């Protein structure tokens, strides 16, 4: 009787087993026909964080890839096994899959647990091999939260196929690069940087064990440090029993005083835990852009990549290495100069430095930082289109020198003037101080930033010629008289790039930030080949540089840019102020850098006439002050410790120096040394003391005749240059000859 009962039970169990087996076999056959391709593993290395590097190879930022409809970011930087410390690899294998090098992708326990979970449903998680976890985190990523038998069966079949295709080291390489470590941290490199602030090659055995402990449930396990310590002890003992490490190595790892991000831990010296306190430092969930140096640079790099390669490459594949032109020292100097800048309330700024020989952008800051406010995507260096004002005058004078025969000694009369253009209202420019200076040389007119002589220089060269040169330099302009005073819009980076032609022998080189882009395999996807354009002759470029150097160093009277002096460095530069003081600029050059600083209000309203500095002092707001202070601060720090060229830029052939009187332009032994084209005849240049100027005088008053003066009362007199300025300003009448 008992025998028959046992036989019956056996038959029932056998039937059930065969039924389940048949069901599983049929299901497995169906699932096998629906397996995804393992080809995704071939491109896994590209689904990675892109690294943005400075010109010296220093990493200055990351662009994190995103995926899915919710644009989830994935911080992952793939590494090879030889970039991971052997101790950390030992710890991960021992914790996650001690039999990894002995099995063929699965173990019996994992399969049995899968059946149990399917039919009972309350088993604890665990038992997956490293191989099956690679499958789960790649080709079956969409089913990662599914605990069904189907997923387990597919994992098993794909794991066997993966073991057939790849070696164990190759599988392990995939594994350490796809593992989720909390936040949006994927892969061991991102994990090592996030939790311990180091590269995976520097991880210790203890740190590797800590990271291995986090893998099954990184966020909750990171929050339970005491449980993690206990688990580490268990795994260390197991490694000793297996002969993976010595007892001495295990004890040394146990005594290591781990301090993972987010914890402040104290120990008793023997590895015992005394206290573990959470700090406010959480595991970083990185945004798609991260930089410890400059978000402005990262935004520009991202936009450049998106324009050139598109979203699928930048945010889908990623894994790019972007080499920029940014100089770390210069960028830090620009950052600090922006922080320290004293600006009128509510005003903003832009700072940019360029290497004029290469067009490489060394540093840029697109806004003044505000405490508690993140950097916005408006980069005023690249996007703020504002009028350059008088800082454009060097282009006008250089054109007049090259095409109109001007030199630094050419004299121009600063007096009320009307310029007529057919079909347009008369143009009557004013000077910034509403005064007239009379006869001055080009050099002194530039020093004092006189407006009317600049318009006369444009007239002499022709507005069309000045506009053509400006267009060659990258400005978007039309030919008209007001062009001489910078009455058009330009970005700070365009202005710096154009000014760079003076510092580069007349050659303007297109600015650029991205020098080279490589994919994850090191293939070059892009390499900058900037345009070089010979806009000025080397001689014209140097003569203008010398004149702009005078704008900094000339005295008696003092030049407007005198505050731009940097101890030990040769500086050339020009201020710029627009109508109603909406924009104030300084653009300057020194060997190794051309830099521009702009200050203004985003709504294009006028700046105040004065402001209160951080130290409580009150100061006038003008282009000869605030932008120069920022420029000096930036340039001095950016070039600190770099070679000094006290004599300035190389002097090309065909340049000679003469001393001139800056007011009259005449040769003067005690005058100012100025650069000229060789062969320039200065014997009759300028206004010599023996020369006189004919002026119309109202004989009734002795003052200058006007349009209202009756013809019969007008006399034409010869006036000495020294008396002309006072006469034009209306300060004194002239002595009229005795009438017969």
């Amino acid at each position: 009787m008992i025998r028959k009962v046992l036989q019956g039970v056996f038959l029932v169990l056998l039937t059930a087993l065969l039924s389940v087996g048949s069901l599983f076999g049929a299901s497995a056959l169906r699932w096998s026909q629906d397996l995804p391709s393992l080809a995704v593993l071939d491109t896994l290395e590209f689904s990675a964080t892109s690294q943005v590097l400075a010109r010296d190879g220093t990493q200055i930022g990351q662009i994190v890839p995103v995926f899915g409809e919710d644009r989830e970011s994935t911080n992952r930087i793939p590494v090879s096994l030889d970039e991971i410390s052997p101790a950390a690899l030992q710890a991960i294998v021992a914790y996650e899959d001690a039999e990894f090098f002995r099995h063929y992708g699965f173990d019996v326990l994992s399969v049995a647990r899968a059946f149990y979970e399917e039919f009972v449903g309350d088993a604890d998680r665990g038992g997956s091999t490293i191989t099956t976890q690679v499958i789960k985190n790649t080709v079956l990523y969409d089913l990662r939260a599914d605990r069904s038998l189907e997923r387990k069966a597919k994992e098993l079949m794909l794991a066997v196929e993966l073991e057939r295709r790849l070696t164990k080291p190759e599988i392990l390489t995939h594994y350490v690069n796809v593992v989720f470590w909390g936040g949006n941290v994927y892969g061991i490199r991102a994990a090592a940087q996030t939790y311990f602030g180091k590269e995976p090659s520097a991880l210790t055995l203890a740190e590797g064990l800590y990271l291995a402990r986090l893998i099954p449930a990184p966020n909750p396990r990171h929050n339970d440090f005491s449980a993690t310590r206990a688990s580490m002890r268990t795994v260390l003992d197991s490694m000793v029993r297996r002969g993976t490490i010595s007892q001495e190595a295990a004890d040394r790892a146990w005594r290591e005083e781990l301090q993972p991000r987010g914890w402040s831990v104290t120990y008793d010296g023997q590895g015992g835990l005394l206290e573990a306190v959470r700090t406010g430092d959480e595991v970083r969930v990185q945004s798609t852009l991260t930089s410890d140096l400059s978000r402005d640079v990262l935004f520009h790099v991202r936009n450049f990549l998106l324009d050139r390669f598109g979203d699928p490459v930048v945010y889908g594949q990623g894994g790019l290495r972007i080499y920029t032109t940014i100089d770390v020292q210069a960028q830090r100097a620009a950052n600090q100069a922006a922080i320290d800048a004293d600006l009128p309330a509510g005003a903003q700024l832009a700072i940019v430095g360029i290497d004029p020989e290469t067009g490489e952008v060394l540093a840029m800051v697109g806004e003044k930082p505000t405490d508690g406010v993140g950097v916005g995507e408006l980069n005023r260096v690249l996007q703020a289109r504002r009028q350059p004002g008088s800082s454009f005058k060097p282009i006008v004078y250089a054109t007049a020198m090259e095409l109109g025969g001007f030199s630094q000694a050419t004299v121009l009369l600063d007096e009320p003037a009307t310029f007529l253009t057919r079909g347009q209202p008369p143009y009557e420019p004013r000077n910034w101080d509403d005064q007239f200076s009379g006869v001055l040389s080009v050099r002194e007119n530039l020093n004092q930033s006189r407006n009317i002589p600049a318009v006369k220089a444009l007239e002499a060269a022709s507005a069309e010629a000045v506009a053509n040169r400006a267009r060659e330099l990258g400005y978007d302009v039309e030919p008209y008289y007001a062009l001489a005073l910078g009455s058009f819009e330009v970005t700070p980076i365009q202005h710096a790039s154009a000014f760079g032609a003076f510092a580069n022998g007349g050659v303007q080189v297109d600015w650029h930030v991205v020098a080279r882009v490589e994919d994850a395999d090191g293939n070059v996807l892009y390499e900058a080949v900037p345009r070089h354009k010979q806009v000025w002759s080397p001689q014209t470029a140097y003569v203008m540089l010398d004149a702009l150097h005078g704008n900094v160093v000339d005295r008696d009277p003092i030049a407007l840019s005198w505050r731009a002096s940097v101890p030990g460095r040769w500086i050339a530069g020009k201020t710029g102020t627009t109508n109603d003081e909406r924009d104030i600029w300084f653009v300057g050059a020194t060997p190794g850098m051309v830099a521009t600083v702009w200050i203004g209000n985003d709504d294009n309203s006028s700046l105040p006439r004065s402001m209160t500095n951080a130290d409580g002092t009150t100061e006038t707001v003008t282009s000869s002050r605030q932008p120069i202070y920022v420029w000096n601060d930036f340039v001095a720090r950016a070039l600190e410790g770099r070679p000094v060229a006290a004599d300035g830029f190389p002097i090309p052939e065909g340049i000679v120096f003469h001393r001139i009187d800056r007011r009259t332009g005449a040769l003067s032994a005690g005058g100012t040394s100025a650069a000229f084209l060789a062969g320039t005849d200065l014997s009759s240049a300028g206004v010599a003391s023996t020369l006189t100027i004919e002026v119309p005088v109202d004989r009734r008053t002795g003052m200058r005749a006007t349009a209202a003066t009756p013809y019969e009362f007008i006399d034409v007199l010869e006036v000495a240059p020294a008396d002309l300025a006072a006469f034009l300003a209306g300060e004194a009448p002239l002595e009229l000859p005795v009438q017969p």
Side-chain angles (χ1 to χ4, degrees):
M1 183 66 181
I2 296 176
R3 182 178 179 181
K4 290 183 178 180
V5 172
L6 291 175
Q7 287 177 341
V9 172
F10 174 75
L11 289 173
V12 171
L13 291 175
L14 180 60
T15 300
L17 181 61
L18 290 174
S19 298
V20 172
S22 299
L23 177 62
F24 179 74
S27 298
L29 180 61
R30 177 168 53 84
W31 295 332
S32 67
Q33 296 173 350
D34 189 33
L35 290 177
S37 171
L38 291 177
V40 67
L41 294 174
D42 297 332
T43 59
L44 173 65
E45 59 185 328
F46 299 108
S47 301
T49 297
S50 295
Q51 300 172 73
V52 182
L53 311 172
R55 64 192 307 173
D56 62 359
T58 302
Q59 182 172 306
I60 61 174
Q62 297 177 336
I63 301 176
V64 180
V66 296
F67 61 92
E69 294 182 0
D70 58 354
R71 305 287 288 176
E72 178 183 351
S73 60
T74 302
N75 178 18
R76 172 167 46 216
I77 307 174
V79 294
S80 58
L81 290 187
D82 60 7
E83 295 178 276
I84 308 170
S85 73
L89 286 174
Q90 280 183 320
I92 291 170
V93 172
Y95 195 97
E96 281 294 288
D97 187 0
E99 299 296 324
F100 172 67
F101 289 101
R102 297 183 179 89
H103 64 60
Y104 294 96
F106 69 95
D107 58 33
V108 176
L109 180 61
S110 294
V111 176
R113 182 175 292 110
F115 274 94
Y116 184 83
E117 290 175 350
E118 176 69 11
F119 293 106
V120 180
D122 60 353
D124 190 17
R125 179 195 179 281
S128 296
T129 66
I130 283 176
T131 310
T132 57
Q133 288 188 65
V134 170
I135 297 298
K136 180 177 65 177
N137 285 292
T138 54
V139 295
L140 294 181
Y141 185 81
D142 291 340
L143 299 176
R144 65 192 184 280
D146 185 1
R147 298 169 63 86
S148 69
L149 183 60
E150 177 184 355
R151 195 205 77 187
K152 285 291 185 181
K154 287 183 176 180
E155 279 183 9
L156 176 63
M157 289 183 278
L158 289 171
V160 172
E161 175 63 15
L162 185 60
E163 291 274 352
R164 189 183 69 81
R165 288 191 181 197
L166 302 181
T167 65
K168 289 290 187 179
E170 289 172 334
I171 294 172
L172 186 57
T173 299
H174 281 303
Y175 175 72
V176 296
N177 283 309
V178 300
V179 170
F180 173 60
W181 256 293
N184 68 339
V185 177
Y186 291 80
I188 193 168
R189 185 171 187 180
Q193 293 175 342
T194 297
Y195 288 97
F196 296 109
K198 59 174 61 176
E199 292 297 307
S201 59
L203 289 172
T204 65
L205 177 60
E207 291 167 339
L209 283 170
Y210 181 86
L211 292 179
R213 155 74 181 175
L214 299 183
I215 290 173
N219 294 326
R221 291 194 175 192
H222 178 61
N223 292 330
D224 192 350
F225 188 81
S226 59
T228 297
R229 281 298 286 178
S231 177
M232 289 172 60
R233 179 76 269 178
T234 300
V235 178
L236 284 171
D237 292 342
S238 174
M239 294 176 75
V240 172
R241 287 195 303 272
R242 289 173 173 273
T244 306
I245 60 173
S246 66
Q247 185 64 53
E248 180 183 0
D251 293 341
R252 185 167 56 251
W254 183 248
R255 289 193 298 270
E256 182 179 332
E257 298 187 353
L258 282 179
Q259 299 289 340
R261 180 188 296 274
W263 285 98
S264 175
V265 188
T266 54
Y267 301 85
D268 62 7
Q270 298 301 314
L273 182 63
L274 296 178
E275 184 180 38
V277 179
R278 281 304 301 265
T279 67
D281 194 6
E282 297 291 340
V283 176
R284 288 181 296 176
V285 178
Q286 290 182 297
S287 63
T288 56
L289 289 178
T290 60
S291 177
D292 294 328
L293 185 65
S294 172
R295 293 272 289 179
D296 284 329
V297 171
L298 262 290
F299 282 132
H300 171 69
V301 170
R302 178 204 61 186
N303 294 341
F304 174 88
L305 295 174
L306 288 173
D307 288 344
R308 192 169 191 88
F309 301 111
D311 190 279
V313 172
V314 179
Y315 283 136
Q317 295 177 350
L320 305 173
R321 290 176 65 85
I322 305 103
Y323 294 87
T324 72
T325 62
I326 297 299
D327 181 288
V328 174
Q329 178 177 324
Q331 185 62 52
R332 287 175 177 159
N335 294 346
Q336 195 61 49
I339 292 171
D340 295 342
D342 274 330
L343 304 183
Q348 269 296 347
L349 58 66
I351 304 171
V352 59
I354 294 178
D355 183 337
E357 292 186 16
T358 63
E360 296 176 340
V361 176
L362 305 177
M364 63 176 170
V365 173
E367 71 177 17
K368 179 173 174 59
T370 303
D371 290 342
V373 179
V375 176
E377 292 203 35
L378 174 60
N379 184 342
R380 293 162 184 82
V381 168
L382 307 176
Q383 296 168 280
R385 296 186 59 81
R386 307 302 284 263
Q387 292 191 3
S390 294
S391 60
F392 181 74
K393 289 175 181 175
I395 285 84
V396 176
Y397 282 117
T399 307
M401 288 178 179
E402 192 145 286
L403 302 180
F406 277 38
S407 73
Q408 293 199 64
T410 301
V411 294
L412 294 166
L413 181 60
D414 182 16
E415 63 173 349
T418 300
F419 300 89
L420 301 176
T421 301
R422 181 178 297 177
Q424 296 183 15
Y427 178 55
E428 298 180 350
R430 297 165 51 193
N431 286 316
W432 58 270
D433 58 358
D434 286 328
Q435 303 294 318
F436 303 99
S437 299
V439 171
L440 294 177
S441 68
V442 162
R443 182 170 179 126
E444 191 61 18
N445 272 309
L446 193 62
N447 282 352
Q448 303 305 320
S449 199
R450 310 310 294 171
N451 287 344
I452 295 169
V455 180
K456 290 184 174 181
L458 176 138
E459 184 179 45
S462 85
E464 188 64 47
V466 173
N468 285 339
R469 290 301 171 100
R471 293 186 192 111
E472 291 185 68
L473 292 166
Y475 298 108
D476 182 12
V477 299
E478 296 297 331
Y480 47 84
Y481 283 114
L483 175 64
L485 309 184
S487 61
F488 62 93
E489 292 182 339
V490 66
T491 63
I493 201 164
Q494 289 175 316
H495 204 28
S497 179
F499 203 89
F502 293 131
N504 191 38
V507 178
Q508 191 265 339
V509 184
D510 283 349
W511 68 269
H512 59 285
V513 176
V514 177
R516 189 171 76 256
V517 180
E518 297 177 358
D519 66 18
D521 289 330
N523 299 311
V524 177
L525 304 180
Y526 167 83
E527 192 149 20
V529 184
R531 183 203 68 156
H532 289 62
K533 177 70 174 179
Q534 186 82 47
V535 179
W536 315 108
S537 70
Q539 292 75 25
T540 297
Y542 186 82
V543 169
M544 182 49 58
L545 265 186
D546 181 68
L548 291 168
H549 179 55
N551 198 243
V552 177
V553 301
D554 285 352
R555 302 292 186 268
D556 301 322
I558 196 167
L560 292 183
S561 298
W562 66 274
R563 294 182 178 88
S565 297
V566 175
R569 295 199 177 274
W570 192 97
I571 305 294
K574 182 69 184 76
T575 57
T577 306
T578 61
N579 288 340
D580 300 322
E581 288 75 41
R582 290 187 175 93
D583 307 279
I584 52 178
W585 299 73
F586 184 74
V587 54
T590 190
M593 181 183 289
V594 168
T596 294
V597 173
W598 165 85
I599 295 172
N601 292 319
D602 283 337
D603 63 3
N604 204 29
S605 60
S606 297
L607 294 167
R609 296 301 181 103
S610 64
M611 58 170 285
T612 302
N613 293 323
D615 61 5
T617 59
T618 300
E619 189 162 25
T620 302
V621 175
T622 173
S623 60
S624 64
R625 293 178 182 269
Q626 287 76 24
I628 288 181
Y629 298 152
V630 177
W631 192 94
N632 280 12
D633 190 11
F634 164 49
V635 171
R637 294 183 186 182
L639 299 180
E640 186 176 2
R642 307 288 173 88
V644 174
D647 295 332
F649 293 86
I651 303 173
E653 293 184 1
I655 292 294
V656 296
F657 291 85
H658 297 288
R659 291 190 173 276
I660 61 169
D661 183 308
R662 299 202 312 272
R663 170 167 285 278
T664 67
L667 290 168
S668 172
T672 300
S673 177
F676 294 88
L677 296 179
T680 301
D681 182 8
L682 294 179
S683 61
S684 59
V687 182
S689 58
T690 58
L691 298 179
T692 58
I693 299 172
E694 292 183 342
V695 296
V697 178
D698 186 330
R699 77 161 64 97
R700 297 171 300 178
T701 63
M703 306 298 288
R704 184 182 184 186
T706 68
T709 305
Y711 178 78
E712 61 270 20
F713 293 107
I714 295 177
D715 288 327
V716 176
L717 300 181
E718 293 183 344
V719 179
D723 299 328
L724 185 62
F727 170 67
L728 292 175
E731 296 175 0
L734 295 177
E735 293 186 6
L736 299 174
V738 176
Q739 297 296 318

